[in-house]
Amino acid sequence: MSSERIARQFAFIIEADRLKEVFRQTLLTQSRRPENDAEHSWHLCLMVLVLAEHSNVPVDVLRVLKMLVIHDLVEIDAGDTYAYDTAGMVDQHARECIAAERIFGLLPPDQAADFRAVWDEFEARQTPEAKFAAALDRVHPMLLNILTQGQKWREHGVTLPKVIARNQHAADGAAAVWQHALKLVNQAVADGHLPAK
Amino acid sequence: MSSERIARQFAFIIEADRLKEVFRQTLLTQSRRPENDAEHSWHLCLMVLVLAEHSNVPVDVLRVLKMLVIHDLVEIDAGDTYAYDTAGMVDQHARECIAAERIFGLLPPDQAADFRAVWDEFEARQTPEAKFAAALDRVHPMLLNILTQGQKWREHGVTLPKVIARNQHAADGAAAVWQHALKLVNQAVADGHLPAK
């Protein structure tokens, strides 16, 4: 194994440390500080291990994990785009593609191509693995919003119809998980944490 | 699928959010704030995906990821034990076993038993998967310490012989990764960030 290869691998691993300082619009359940992308990615991996049985179709769990470990790395350069920021979403994919070139490009070429293919698959949301990964990626912030009494939803003027419109594609990957999340969201509406309209 | 089953799975996922507020003795490369266990666990998963080819023997990558996603959950109750805290290490495993009972016990019984078996395997460090996972778990904080000019090492009076004694079992899982880490550590000594003795 060449020492140049392992040096490139370490350079990529070191660069990834920055993901711990890209903050999201969700709050942690305890301290209520904003969550960062690295924590979010870890929590999604845990959700895969626990909830894989609820995928609409059987999935390659390793590939789902691989997608979720790397899915937000592009945000080191492109920043986090809020799920309800329709303006930011216009050029989001273009910005993230440029970031993917640079960040995955730190790896040895064979791994750069492999990681890019996994990220492209996640983004395209066509395979069962990508649909299941996307389902968890949508349900996770909903769950944190519910557990923090909808504080961030209210700050951003988010309503129940917006939550449903933005997240219901989760049902394409894991209908049972989406149904459970919907039950919790309806409770949040009943509790006055999310406006019904 | 019973609604009680998915409710238990969500209870476990919600409890796990606390791992984002268990802080370690390592600093992030950018802001220099202490790293938490959730971020650390995510970073290890990324290392697995990049460095799996360096395992001394071929490993089941999915099982390694599973170990590393869950390996620190016990610290929600037991707290983080610093790698050089020999007093804290005396009863560490006993404290963590009690935590494992409670935390994995939130899951449906079949998953609780499965997660506990994976955690026990990681702790016993006998299988190739556990040895490789442990190697990355040792190299990761070394790397962050090196990248933050050994600040935490100096605060705790850690020297090169201590670093080697505590971490050299990483070579049992991934000799090439350990060799690269050792090269970086020796550079840290040359740069005056870690006392040679």
Side-chain angles (χ1 to χ4, degrees), chain A residues 112-125:
Chain A
D114 177 47
F115 279 50
R116 177 59 190 261
V118 170
W119 182 73
D120 284 342
E121 182 181 333
F122 172 78
E123 287 287 302
R125 224 195 291 153

Side-chain angles (χ1 to χ4, degrees), chain A residues 30-138:
Chain A
Q30 303 302 304
S31 66
R32 307 286 164 123
R33 70 158 167 83
E35 186 186 41
N36 66 58
D37 272 345
E39 299 166 324
H40 162 69
S41 301
W42 166 78
H43 214 167
L44 290 178
C45 290
L46 187 73
M47 289 175 75
V48 172
L49 297 180
V50 174
L51 300 174
E53 67 193 36
H54 301 294
S55 174
N56 292 351
V57 293
V59 282
D60 174 346
V61 173
L62 175 57
R63 192 151 185 98
V64 178
L65 286 171
K66 200 163 171 179
M67 282 180 196
L68 290 174
V69 169
I70 71 168
H71 81 293
D72 270 346
L73 281 172
V74 292
E75 298 190 358
I76 289 173
D77 288 354
D80 180 57
T81 304
Y82 185 45
Y84 302 94
D85 172 9
T86 42
M89 284 161 72
V90 171
D91 66 339
Q92 180 182 3
H93 190 68
R95 286 183 286 114
E96 291 184 352
C97 283
I98 296 167
E101 281 298 311
R102 184 188 76 80
I103 295 166
F104 298 137
L106 295 170
L107 285 163
D110 60 312
Q111 289 189 314
D114 177 47
F115 279 50
R116 177 59 190 261
V118 170
W119 182 73
D120 284 342
E121 182 181 333
F122 172 78
E123 287 287 302
R125 224 195 291 153
Q126 296 300 312
T127 63
E129 284 74 18
K131 286 179 185 174
F132 183 62
L136 301 185
D137 191 31
R138 297 272 35 93

Side-chain angles (χ1 to χ4, degrees), chain A residues 1 5 9 13 16-17 20-21 29-31 33 35-36 39 42-43 46 50 53-54 69 111, chain B residues 1 5 9 13 16-17 20-21 29-31 33 35-36 39 42-43 46 50 53-54 69 111:
Chain A
M1 198 69 65
R5 182 170 175 86
Q9 291 170 328
I13 289 163
D17 193 63
K20 300 167 191 169
E21 320 230 38
T29 61
Q30 303 302 304
S31 66
R33 70 158 167 83
E35 186 186 41
N36 66 58
E39 299 166 324
W42 166 78
H43 214 167
L46 187 73
V50 174
E53 67 193 36
H54 301 294
V69 169
Q111 289 189 314
Chain B
M1 199 66 67
R5 184 170 174 86
Q9 291 170 326
I13 289 162
D17 193 62
K20 301 167 189 170
E21 321 230 36
T29 60
Q30 303 303 305
S31 66
R33 70 157 167 84
E35 186 186 43
N36 67 58
E39 298 165 328
W42 166 77
H43 214 166
L46 187 74
V50 175
E53 68 192 37
H54 301 294
V69 169
Q111 289 189 313

